[in-house]
Amino acid sequence: MILEINSVQRDPGGFVTVTGQLKNTGSTSFKDTVAWRGIELKGTGESVAGATLVDKAGKKRYYVLRDTESRCLCTTGVSSVDAGQAIPFFAQFPTPPPSTTEVEFNLPTFAPATVKISG
């Protein structure tokens, strides 16, 4: 599995949106997506709600935002990734201070990635 981040965009609404793809470069279906979901509060099932952003300079960790019914503002329904398949994903986070231009993106089972915030 490969995690590809396409953009990390600061939005005027007070959040940061991370978009990318989860790619299965293997020859068999990948079904171990449970770790990606984090701790779901309302049983929304498979998702990338376990993702976080870490502002190392500001010493803060940001978790995926949730709506008024505790559902993540992120891609849901990812129970498996077929061989050769690429699945687009997104996750929205509270925005770090304007002075923060670089954060670390984390999704369980993948290595952390340092990314720049645009916008």
Side-chain angles (χ1 to χ4, degrees):
M1 289 299 300
I2 294 174
L3 170 70
E4 178 181 287
I5 297 172
N6 297 331
S7 72
V8 181
Q9 181 73 39
R10 193 183 304 268
D11 296 307
F15 51 88
V16 168
T17 301
V18 177
T19 61
Q21 294 184 49
L22 295 160
K23 295 180 179 181
N24 183 346
T25 58
S27 59
T28 60
S29 183
F30 181 83
K31 297 181 181 186
D32 192 16
T33 65
V34 172
W36 299 348
R37 75 174 75 170
I39 301 170
E40 291 291 345
L41 302 176
K42 287 257 184 180
T44 57
E46 296 88 357
S47 70
V48 294
T52 60
L53 291 181
V54 177
D55 174 1
K56 288 186 175 185
K59 298 182 180 177
K60 276 192 147 180
R61 179 180 305 271
Y62 297 91
Y63 294 91
V64 173
L65 290 169
R66 295 186 177 272
D67 68 13
T68 57
E69 295 179 5
S70 296
R71 293 177 297 215
C72 74
L73 298 181
C74 67
T75 298
T76 60
V78 182
S79 59
S80 66
V81 184
D82 292 334
Q85 184 180 24
I87 296 178
F89 80 90
F90 82 96
Q92 292 184 320
F93 301 88
T95 191
S99 59
T100 301
T101 59
E102 192 173 88
V103 290
E104 183 180 88
F105 178 80
N106 294 287
L107 182 63
T109 74
F110 292 97
T114 301
V115 294
K116 293 199 181 294
I117 300 173
S118 60

